[in-house]
């Protein structure tokens, strides 16, 4: 069985050692020493001055919206994970979706300006698949209209833009350390800001608004994370360069193997050190994508339709048509990508895609059956 992703599991001995130290201290959560150590090591690794380790990427988004005091409408992308939109609605604001760029699949800055109204307070954009948005264009629009910018950088651990961690951009940037992400702490996330006043607000928000034992600075929530999660993060961080290298090699292997097929890949931003967080492939039709998906599933290879359905088409978000996003969401497929995937796994995956595609061109109706047969006989032989 080949799943779309597998969590990275660090050396068990190293994790045990951290757990042993937790037992000794009997300090399990509430800004403990391992949480502090992880925050320091992440700052050093990322070259970032301020960050807070929190319990999830979703709570990080909600805290960001609160800390900036956003109200009314937030312009956002329909092509992201559902948490991006949900956090806006959860915080009592209205998501206003604008279409995506057909090459990068990130929010299209040219569409943002037309969606701005007197109620607009911010732009919440996702760097999809770890590939940065057009940050300069978004910053310029935000500046001109006095809007705040939040980046959902949940896919971006290890991505650098113009030589800096992409987490350094926007009024606030957030990320997720969920187990399926490239760097993880089982569950978890972080908020980033360069503004010390915002950092202070975020820090209060993370801890119920506590400003000392008996004083509250205002409304807060529980966004803290535990010593156990920090321990996992510290263990995974030791292998991060290895994880990033492996994904780069696997991605290049995929590209080489799929060369010659009329598939599209997101156009990567210039000035980028990319983290190869996902391996998305855009097919020329939904039908062909589904045929590949099913042929792969017959071989117990499971891909994911990241991101389908488009977020503006959900029952609780609904808004008008966004043709580029709808078209991409129907045809996109993320192929398996994780640390322990082998080149022979990739050989099998790409062989199946090649066969479905080639048969499709010759004999559209029988393509799937033939492709499945071919795979069975080639595995047997
Ligand atoms: C994973 C993810 C989130 C949510 O992060 P959690 O830590 O699971 O809450 C938000 N946005 C995007 C784009 C994601 O991929």
């Amino acid at each position: 069985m080949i799943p779309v992703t597998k969590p990275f599991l660090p050396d068990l001995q190293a994790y045990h050692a951290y757990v042993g130290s937790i037992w000794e201290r009997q300090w399990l959560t509430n800004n403990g020493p391992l949480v502090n150590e992880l925050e320091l090591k992440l700052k050093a690794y990322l070259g970032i001055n301020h960050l807070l380790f929190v319990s999830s990427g979703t709570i990080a988004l909600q805290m960001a919206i609160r800390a900036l005091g956003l109200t009314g409408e937030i312009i956002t992308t329909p092509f992201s994970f559902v948490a991006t939109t949900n956090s806006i609605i959860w915080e009592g604001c209205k998501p206003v979706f604008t279409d995506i760029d057909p090459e990068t699949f990130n929010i299209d800055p040219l569409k943002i300006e037309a969606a701005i109204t007197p109620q607009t307070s911010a732009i919440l954009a996702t760097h999809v698949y770890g590939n940065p948005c057009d940050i300069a264009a978004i910053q310029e629009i935000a500046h001109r209209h006095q809007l705040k910018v939040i980046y959902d950088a949940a896919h971006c651990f290890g991505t650098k833009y113009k030589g800096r961690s992409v987490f350094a951009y926007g009024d606030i940037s957030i990320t997720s350390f969920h187990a399926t992400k490239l760097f993880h702490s089982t569950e978890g996330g972080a908020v980033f800001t360069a503004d010390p006043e915002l950092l202070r607000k975020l820090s209060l928000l993370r801890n119920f608004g506590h400003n000392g034992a008996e004083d509250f600075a205002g409304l807060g929530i529980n966004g803290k994370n535990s010593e156990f999660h920090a321990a996992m993060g510290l263990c995974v961080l030791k292998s991060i360069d290895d994880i990033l290298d492996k994904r780069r090699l696997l991605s290049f292997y995929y590209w080489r193997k799929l060369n010659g097929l009329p598939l599209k890949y997101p156009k990567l931003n210039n000035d980028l050190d990319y983290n190869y967080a996902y391996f998305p492939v855009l097919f020329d039709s939904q039908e062909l994508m589904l045929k590949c998906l099913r042929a792969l599933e017959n071989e117990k290879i499971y891909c994911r339709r990241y991101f389908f359905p488009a977020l503006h088409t959900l029952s609780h978000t609904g808004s008008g048509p966004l043709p580029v996003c709808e078209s991409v969401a129907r045809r996109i497929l993320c192929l398996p990508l994780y640390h322990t995937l082998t080149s022979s796994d990739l050989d099998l995956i790409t062989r199946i895609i090649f066969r479905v595609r080639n048969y499709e061109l010759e004999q559209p109706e029988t393509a799937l059956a033939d492709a499945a047969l071919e795979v069975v006989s080639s595995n047997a032989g």
Side-chain angles (χ1 to χ4, degrees):
M1 206 266 271
I2 303 180
V4 69
T5 189
K6 275 189 190 175
F8 178 84
L9 282 167
D11 179 46
L12 188 55
Q13 298 294 93
Y15 187 72
H16 276 162
Y18 280 118
V19 171
S21 78
I22 297 172
W23 247 251
E24 272 168 31
R25 282 188 297 272
Q26 304 183 29
W27 188 347
L28 309 188
T29 187
N30 285 359
N31 218 15
L34 295 182
V35 166
N36 279 317
E37 187 181 336
L38 179 64
E39 289 183 337
L40 286 172
K41 288 201 165 140
L42 286 172
K43 284 183 213 175
Y45 180 80
L46 297 165
I48 285 255
N49 291 334
H50 304 304
L51 68 83
L52 297 172
F53 182 44
V54 297
S55 52
S56 73
T58 305
I59 209 81
L61 281 167
Q62 292 175 206
M63 285 167 49
I65 293 168
R66 282 279 163 169
L68 290 167
L70 303 182
T71 55
E73 298 172 0
I74 299 179
I75 294 175
T76 190
T77 178
F79 194 66
S80 182
F81 182 59
V82 70
T84 315
T85 300
N86 283 354
S87 64
I88 296 173
I89 301 173
W90 201 273
E91 291 304 324
C93 298
K94 179 173 182 245
V96 173
F97 298 98
T98 56
D99 216 344
I100 58 171
D101 181 288
E103 303 298 322
T104 65
F105 315 154
N106 281 324
I107 196 166
D108 185 346
L110 297 175
K111 308 274 169 61
I112 291 176
E113 199 132 24
I116 296 173
T117 73
Q119 281 74 49
T120 309
S121 60
I123 300 166
L124 199 180
T126 300
H127 304 302
V128 180
Y129 309 128
N131 180 31
C133 294
D134 189 341
I135 290 173
I138 292 172
Q139 191 48 51
E140 192 275 321
I141 294 166
H143 184 71
R144 203 146 32 79
H145 294 272
Q146 302 197 339
L147 304 177
K148 302 293 182 190
V149 179
I150 300 173
Y151 285 115
D152 180 339
H155 302 168
C156 292
F157 199 94
T159 287
K160 285 186 188 162
Y161 175 67
K162 292 185 195 290
R164 294 166 75 197
S165 166
V166 80
F167 299 144
Y169 297 88
D171 291 289
I172 298 180
S173 185
I174 73 95
T175 198
S176 166
F177 299 150
H178 182 258
T180 55
K181 297 331 199 234
L182 179 157
F183 168 80
H184 78 89
S185 58
T186 316
E187 291 274 2
V191 283
F192 306 86
T193 181
D195 177 342
E197 182 51 26
L198 267 182
L199 184 80
R200 203 184 66 83
K201 273 193 198 159
L202 287 163
S203 159
L204 290 165
L205 285 176
R206 178 173 69 166
N207 189 26
F208 310 102
H210 262 302
N211 191 13
E214 292 168 7
D215 187 21
F216 292 92
L219 191 65
I221 197 166
N222 182 358
K224 293 176 280 101
N225 213 333
S226 80
E227 292 291 279
F228 293 89
H229 293 82
M232 180 61 99
L234 286 163
C235 289
V236 176
L237 193 60
K238 289 188 184 131
S239 300
I240 192 65
D241 289 330
D242 189 34
I243 294 171
L244 288 165
D245 276 353
K246 188 70 195 286
R247 295 177 100 94
R248 180 171 45 78
L249 291 175
L250 289 168
S251 298
F252 276 91
Y253 195 83
Y254 260 133
W255 277 319
R256 201 170 76 231
K257 283 279 165 176
L258 292 171
N259 193 15
L261 286 179
L263 299 169
K264 261 183 71 173
Y265 308 100
K267 183 168 173 276
L268 297 179
N269 204 315
N270 299 326
D271 300 315
L272 178 65
D273 292 325
Y274 188 45
N275 66 356
Y276 304 91
Y278 295 85
F279 197 84
V281 173
L282 188 70
F283 287 81
D284 30 14
S285 73
Q286 173 167 246
E287 202 192 354
L288 191 53
M289 184 278 293
L290 288 174
K291 281 182 175 163
C292 282
L293 181 71
R294 294 198 188 109
L296 289 161
E297 277 175 5
N298 284 339
E299 296 298 313
K300 297 199 164 40
I301 298 166
Y302 301 99
C303 301
R304 277 298 289 272
R305 300 181 71 183
Y306 285 140
F307 297 101
F308 180 85
L311 295 174
H312 67 289
T313 65
L314 306 182
S315 61
H316 69 287
T317 63
S319 78
L322 297 170
V324 180
C325 178
E326 284 157 38
S327 167
V328 169
R330 275 195 295 271
R331 294 180 289 130
I332 197 88
L333 193 63
C334 280
L335 303 185
L337 188 64
Y338 51 88
H339 192 72
T340 49
L341 206 61
T342 64
S343 57
S344 56
D345 294 332
L346 261 55
D347 290 341
L348 176 64
I349 295 165
T350 53
R351 199 158 68 227
I352 294 167
I353 296 174
F354 246 96
R355 290 209 172 105
V356 173
R357 170 67 207 184
N358 288 344
Y359 277 75
E360 174 73 10
L361 288 177
E362 289 157 23
Q363 284 175 303
E365 303 84 53
T366 53
L368 181 58
D370 286 359
L373 269 180
E374 271 273 311
V375 168
V376 171
S377 56
S378 78
N379 281 355

